[in-house]
Amino acid sequence: MTALEWIQQYESYLSLVKNRANNTVRSYAMDAELLYRFVTTGELGKRRVKMPLQESPFEWGAFTEEMAVEYMR
């Protein structure tokens, strides 16, 4: 499964299984998109409305604690 498919399934899960409000679902999905954009480009970039996500061969096993700390900064 690609990262983009995972984000779409995550949105469906939050909406259908967890019964979260639409604004909550979009907010969580945007957070996932921003994290994905950061780990694939090294930059936070813009949200989907401004710049569509591009699929990347990034392996999540390569996501390190240092990357997480840098993202949170």
Side-chain angles (χ1 to χ4, degrees), residues 6-67:
W6 181 87
I7 291 171
Q8 289 171 345
Q9 284 193 349
Y10 181 56
E11 286 181 84
S12 294
Y13 168 77
L14 290 171
S15 180
L16 301 173
V17 177
K18 296 302 249 176
N19 198 30
R20 300 293 186 238
N22 288 339
N23 286 343
T24 301
V25 171
R26 285 305 312 139
S27 179
Y28 284 18
M30 290 287 183
D31 290 343
E33 289 175 14
L34 288 174
L35 175 62
Y36 176 73
R37 207 178 290 281
F38 175 78
V39 298
T40 57
T41 67
E43 300 175 0
L44 287 177
K46 306 276 189 252
R47 294 186 174 190
R48 179 177 14 191
V49 246
K50 305 222 177 197
M51 183 181 2
L53 287 176
Q54 299 297 315
E55 196 58 57
S56 168
F58 179 77
E59 293 292 328
W60 283 101
F63 187 69
T64 64
E65 184 177 342
E66 290 79 23
M67 292 171 83

Side-chain angles (χ1 to χ4, degrees), residues 44 66 68-73:
L44 287 177
E66 290 79 23
V69 169
E70 183 63 29
Y71 176 72
M72 293 306 293
R73 282 189 201 154

